[in-house]
Amino acid sequence: MSNTTKGKPSKKTTIINQCKINDFNAMMKEAGEAMDRVLARRKKDLENWGNDEQEEFYAIFGSKGARLVHVNMPIKGVENIVEIKALDVMKDCIRRLCEIKKKLTTDSYINLIYDPDNPEAPTNSKIPRDPNLPDTFCAYVNPEQQDNYKVNIGINFTGRINAKNMRACGEVMGESSRVSTLCHEISHFKKKFVDSSLGGMGTVDYDVDGHRREPTEEDKWTLIEHQSGAMKLIDKGSENVFDNSYNIEKYFEIIV
Ligand SMILES: [Zn+2]
């Protein structure tokens, strides 16, 4: 019997091209292809929906698939809360992520890589920086963009500073990986005004206490704090896990 839900790290999948940040397009192509595989696996998991898949879903979200979740499906911008089973919320999530992913091209990823420790590094982006932009970040989107999807990529996407104060290479797949980051970001895109079945999920980044944080509010939380907020929602069995991008990305931390 094959284990379809829990991908195991294999040397083959983790070592390819991880550090090739000198070729931005190659890095994004690799991440994009891995993302397609992760999304395909998750789509299959939710269709198979055997015991293993159900248990894994519960462990990740703290909610069972049959749980009714309140979801906003706005009609022409007017709030419209409907009840949808958690399983269907995630099936819908994958449909949306796949639709958007299909529309992404090399030009959709904006290279804003800058290493403040190496200001002259040839891998630093040549694009003039917005002075409000922090030097180091992982990735961000403007959730309002609805057709021309763009994902802005920062240096932490290539790898974060580790405990030894070295910038280590990021993983393509797995925990806090390039794939889970892209899934996180794409989930932020808002549902479309004309037809809310189209567009992203419109997730937001919940704060350290697991409270909803509007995208307009200042994000003063670190990654660890956001992750801690996500854990609190899981522990509480909150349905808001399906509205928090830090929880959504956990479903896409597999290695396939
Ligand atoms: Zn986010």
Side-chain angles (χ1 to χ4, degrees), residues 209-234:
D209 296 316
H211 295 140
R212 197 171 203 277
R213 211 195 106 254
E214 292 306 324
T216 48
E217 282 174 54
E218 188 204 347
D219 186 354
K220 50 183 179 207
W221 313 109
T222 63
L223 171 67
I224 306 285
E225 287 170 331
H226 278 299
Q227 287 170 338
S228 144
M231 288 312 295
K232 284 174 193 150
L233 292 180
I234 298 167

Side-chain angles (χ1 to χ4, degrees), residues 17-27 30 169 178:
N17 286 343
Q18 272 175 31
C19 279
K20 282 201 173 169
I21 56 167
N22 56 337
D23 189 340
F24 181 78
N25 287 346
M27 175 179 75
E30 182 191 38
C169 264
R178 294 175 188 166

